[in-house]
Amino acid sequence: MLVLSRKKSESIVINDDIVVTVVEVRGDKVRLGIQAPREVPVHRKEVLDAIMRERGAAADSVPE
């Protein structure tokens, strides 16, 4: 895992087409802005975990 320090309004760039910018730092919370091409899905980790669980459940219910 790469760990970087950024201040408000500073950004990192991933693969020339994804930009992550620190929008706000308030106490122990950091707000990030993410610019990515439409074809690149961007999810919070807990949302992605729920999607993956649903896909697994749907695959398990398909009759063979």
Side-chain angles (χ1 to χ4, degrees), residues 1 4-5 16-18 28-29 31 42 55:
M1 175 188 304
L4 301 171
S5 296
D16 294 331
D17 60 355
I18 300 172
D28 64 343
K29 292 189 178 183
R31 294 184 69 201
V42 178
R55 286 182 184 166

Side-chain angles (χ1 to χ4, degrees), residues 59-64:
D60 289 343
S61 65
V62 173
E64 293 183 25

